[in-house]
Amino acid sequence: MTQIQPTTLTHIAVAMFSVSDQDAARDFYTGVLGFEVRGDERFGADGEARWLEVAPPGSTARLALNPPMGGTPGGGAIGVECTDVLAEHARLAARGDVDVDPEPMRTPGAPLMFALRDPDGNSVWVVEATAAG
């Protein structure tokens, strides 16, 4: 019998979205959602690749915005916590340039939430922060 070793994994740190244009994605996440750039580095033999990370201010988890690797951009989803889902929904809907759900969802047993889509079709679920969270 092999003995199973305990994990050394500690927490989710980086989620990744594939995007068609890293600069446009950076502008969307910083300009529309208010995220901050956490890292923007070139790598590879000739600096042909780029690692770009953004995150909400104060968040320990980050979102990497990467070119597609063998596919098309979009199709990912993340959830972000929010202290005032109704106000954030109203703010984003009033812009007129964000693909946002018509109204937040109220489902018994689940927090208040709504989704928006970035220009590549990745979904960001804005979820009411829980008292424990």
Side-chain angles (χ1 to χ4, degrees), residues 13-96:
V14 181
M16 298 178 203
F17 276 175
S18 63
V19 298
S20 58
D21 180 325
Q22 286 177 297
D23 290 328
R26 179 202 57 220
D27 293 348
F28 176 82
Y29 284 93
T30 59
V32 174
L33 297 184
F35 286 23
E36 57 193 20
V37 174
R38 292 289 181 84
D40 191 350
E41 302 295 328
R42 293 277 179 185
F43 66 94
D46 297 314
E48 71 279 0
R50 179 180 180 193
W51 185 262
L52 174 61
E53 288 183 348
V54 295
S59 175
T60 57
R62 290 132 14 241
L63 177 61
L65 304 170
N66 303 316
M69 294 182 272
T72 57
I78 61 168
V80 294
E81 286 189 329
C82 179
T83 56
D84 191 340
V85 169
L86 296 176
E88 188 64 15
H89 182 270
R91 182 186 79 81
L92 292 169
R95 289 179 55 100

